[in-house]
Amino acid sequence: MNRPRLVLVVFGLTAVVDLACLAAGFDAGHTVAKPLLMPLLALWAALRRAPRPLLAALLFGWGGDVLLLSGAEPAFLAGMASFAAGHVCYLLLFRTHGSRYAVPRARAGLAALAYAGALLTTVALLWPDLPAHLRVPVAGYSLLLTAMAYAAGTRLGLFTGLGGALFLLSDTLIATGVADWPQPPRPDFWIMLTYLAAQTLLAGGALGALDARRAPAATYGEMRVA
C-alpha cells in the first residue's frame, strides 16, 4: 500500500471513530479524534502534490475544528474566522486552478441564482433569532461560504461542487443551533458527518481535477521525447 493510500485509510478510520464517539455521546473520544482529522487529510493531499491554497484551506479548517471544541464565545468567533480564512484559500484555489468553463454558462447562472436565494433566505430567517452581536459576523461569513460553495461547483466540477454544498449545509446546522432552533437528535454528529464529507470531497475533487489536467500534459511530453 502506497503512502497516500495508507494516510487516507488512517484518516477514514479516525473519521469513523470520531463519528462513533459523537453518536455515542462520548465527548472525550471526540475531543481526541477531531483534531487529528484535518492534519491527516492535509498530509494525504500533500503526498498527492496538492497546491498550497488547498493545504492552507485544510489547515485553517483544523484551526477552526480545534477552536470550536471550546464552548466559549470568543473561541466560536475565532473558529469562524479560521474557517473564513479557509474559504478564502479555497476561492484562491478555484480561481488559480479552476476553469470558468467547467460547467455550461446557463447552468452556472442557475447555480448563482439558487445559491443567492438560499443565502438571502437563510440569513433573513436566522437574523431575528441570532444574538445581536453575532448577526453581522454570521451574515458576512455566510456570504463568503456561499461564494466558496458556488465557485467549487462552477470552477472544478461535480465532486468539489457537492463538497461546497455539504459545507454550506454543515455550517447552516451550526447556525440554527446558535439561533436556538429545534435540532435533530445528536446534532453534532450530523454537523461533523456533513463537514467531513465536504472537506473530503473538496480536497479529493480538486486533486482529481488537477490530476486529469496533468495527465494529458505528461502524455504530450512523453510523445515529444519519443
Side-chain angles (χ1 to χ4, degrees):
M1 183 180 294
N2 58 31
R3 285 191 297 169
R5 187 169 299 177
L6 177 61
V7 172
L8 189 60
V9 168
V10 174
F11 166 76
L13 292 174
T14 307
V16 169
V17 168
D18 185 55
L19 292 171
C21 290
L22 287 171
F26 182 42
D27 292 340
H30 172 61
T31 301
V32 172
K34 184 181 182 183
L36 301 175
L37 290 164
M38 287 307 105
L40 285 169
L41 191 59
L43 176 58
W44 171 74
L47 292 172
R48 292 275 307 275
R49 297 187 297 154
R52 288 181 181 178
L54 175 55
L55 298 177
L58 294 172
L59 292 176
F60 276 121
W62 170 74
D65 289 345
V66 173
L67 288 163
L68 291 187
L69 284 172
S70 169
E73 189 171 288
F76 175 80
L77 289 170
M80 186 163 59
S82 189
F83 281 119
H87 297 325
V88 171
C89 292
Y90 273 128
L91 286 168
L92 179 61
L93 172 72
F94 302 148
R95 179 178 178 83
T96 305
H97 298 280
S99 170
R100 294 176 59 186
Y101 308 105
V103 299
R105 186 171 298 179
R107 191 185 303 172
L110 289 174
L113 289 174
Y115 274 117
L119 171 65
L120 292 173
T121 301
T122 302
V123 171
L125 290 174
L126 287 171
W127 189 270
D129 297 323
L130 289 170
H133 63 287
L134 289 180
R135 288 171 180 167
V136 172
V138 168
Y141 175 82
S142 299
L143 176 61
L144 184 59
L145 171 60
T146 303
M148 184 281 290
Y150 168 75
T154 57
R155 288 275 185 165
L156 280 178
L158 177 62
F159 288 108
T160 52
L162 182 56
L166 286 172
F167 214 133
L168 189 61
L169 173 59
S170 180
D171 281 4
T172 299
L173 290 172
I174 294 176
T176 59
V178 173
D180 203 24
W181 285 16
Q183 297 291 295
R186 300 289 182 194
D188 288 347
F189 171 84
W190 299 108
I191 290 168
M192 200 66 191
L193 176 64
T194 49
Y195 168 71
L196 287 173
Q199 292 280 41
T200 304
L201 285 167
L202 284 166
L207 290 171
L210 292 174
D211 286 346
R213 291 175 189 174
R214 289 167 181 155
T219 301
Y220 177 70
E222 290 167 5
M223 289 174 61
R224 292 196 64 180
V225 170

